Amino acid sequence: SQQGEEDPQALSIQEGENATMNCSYKTSINNLQWYRQNSGRGLVHLILIRSNEREKHSGRLRVTLDTSKKSSSLLITASRAADTASYFCATDLGDYKLSFGAGTTVTVRA
Amino acid sequence: DAGVIQSPRHEVTEMGQEVTLRCKPISGHDYLFWYRQTMMRGLELLIYFNNNVPIDDSGMPEDRFSAKMPNASFSTLKIQPSEPRDSAVYFCASSLRPREGNQPQHFGDGTRLSIL
């Protein structure tokens, strides 16, 4: 069963705009990871945030984690056409397994 | 560095046939994972290995599915006999040994399986 749920399911934005997507989960976690999947390809790891961290940055990506609300957000700033992809959150349940959400499909229009 | 390599990329076969999917993990990675992705169910973990030993196969849907890892550089996922509902994209991923929680997983580009 999926632990994380992303919101929204789909997002369409203009190039240069910011894209924000959210992930909610149900149980305590050790860390939460975000992945990107381009059409026809495998998932690519973007960023990992540990349960004792609140915010993390990597290039144009900003991830927040609120363990009290069991939620995380991924912000992509100054979006580009190449950011068009599906984005998944994955929760580490502490048993070396990851539970992936259903994903947010992001379309960046030129 | 070579990433996770899966073969074949596409497989189309008839119901009842045996299907074998192959995976070469990244050298030095201790963990190997097999996932299945469908529109209806999303990404599901089927089985994972640590140092070639199966640790958790609770996600394997039926006895028709089996997975092996004979050595650190090769794993197979076999479906026998195959059924149309097995049609999906199957991914292999590998990671280093977790320390403080999980390490990132590195995915192959998947095998798109169609059972007619």
Side-chain angles (χ1 to χ4, degrees):
Chain A
S1 62
Q2 291 172 342
Q3 149 94 311
E5 293 185 6
E6 287 92 344
D7 170 59
Q9 287 187 320
L11 184 59
S12 180
I13 55 174
Q14 201 73 30
E15 203 165 24
E17 294 181 339
N18 296 342
T20 300
M21 60 211 85
N22 304 295
C23 170
S24 59
Y25 57 92
K26 297 171 186 169
T27 61
S28 296
I29 58 172
N30 287 335
N31 65 58
L32 186 143
Q33 302 179 32
W34 285 91
Y35 287 78
R36 183 188 73 232
Q37 184 179 30
N38 291 93
S39 180
R41 304 297 299 273
L43 279 73
V44 174
H45 179 261
L46 295 176
I47 197 165
L48 181 154
I49 185 165
R50 302 196 186 283
S51 58
N52 61 353
E53 296 175 312
R54 292 297 167 258
E55 188 171 312
K56 204 160 182 181
H57 297 254
S58 177
R60 294 184 295 110
L61 305 180
R62 173 177 167 255
V63 168
T64 63
L65 180 65
D66 187 335
T67 52
S68 66
K69 295 181 180 178
K70 293 186 170 57
S71 68
S72 174
S73 68
L74 171 66
L75 168 68
I76 305 172
T77 60
S79 62
R80 305 166 182 170
D83 295 327
T84 294
S86 292
Y87 293 82
F88 296 86
C89 68
T91 48
D92 164 12
L93 305 178
D95 53 357
Y96 307 133
K97 299 192 294 188
L98 292 178
S99 177
F100 287 85
T104 293
T105 299
V106 175
T107 302
V108 181
R109 305 186 307 273
Chain B
D1 280 343
V4 174
I5 299 171
Q6 291 187 246
S7 65
R9 286 297 316 276
H10 302 273
E11 175 89 12
V12 181
T13 191
E14 292 189 347
M15 175 177 156
Q17 296 297 307
E18 177 179 290
V19 173
T20 300
L21 311 181
R22 297 173 176 80
C23 174
K24 177 178 169 56
I26 292 173
S27 177
H29 280 193
D30 297 294
Y31 285 78
L32 184 140
F33 306 83
W34 281 101
Y35 290 90
R36 178 172 68 177
Q37 187 178 39
T38 61
M39 290 295 292
M40 290 294 293
R41 300 174 67 88
L43 197 64
E44 303 173 278
L45 177 64
L46 301 178
I47 185 171
Y48 78 95
F49 295 81
N50 175 23
N51 290 326
N52 314 336
V53 176
I55 302 300
D56 186 339
D57 66 354
S58 60
M60 296 285 262
E62 300 172 33
D63 291 346
R64 298 183 297 105
F65 286 69
S66 63
K68 294 182 180 179
M69 192 164 185
N71 58 61
S73 59
F74 183 65
S75 178
T76 60
L77 178 67
K78 190 171 290 187
I79 308 172
Q80 166 64 16
S82 58
E83 296 183 3
R85 61 194 165 121
D86 302 331
S87 298
V89 182
Y90 290 81
F91 289 102
C92 175
S94 68
S95 74
L96 291 166
R97 166 186 286 275
R99 293 183 180 170
E100 298 172 359
N102 277 344
Q103 292 285 331
Q105 292 184 14
H106 299 259
F107 282 74
D109 280 335
T111 295
R112 183 172 295 275
L113 178 63
S114 296
I115 309 295
L116 306 177

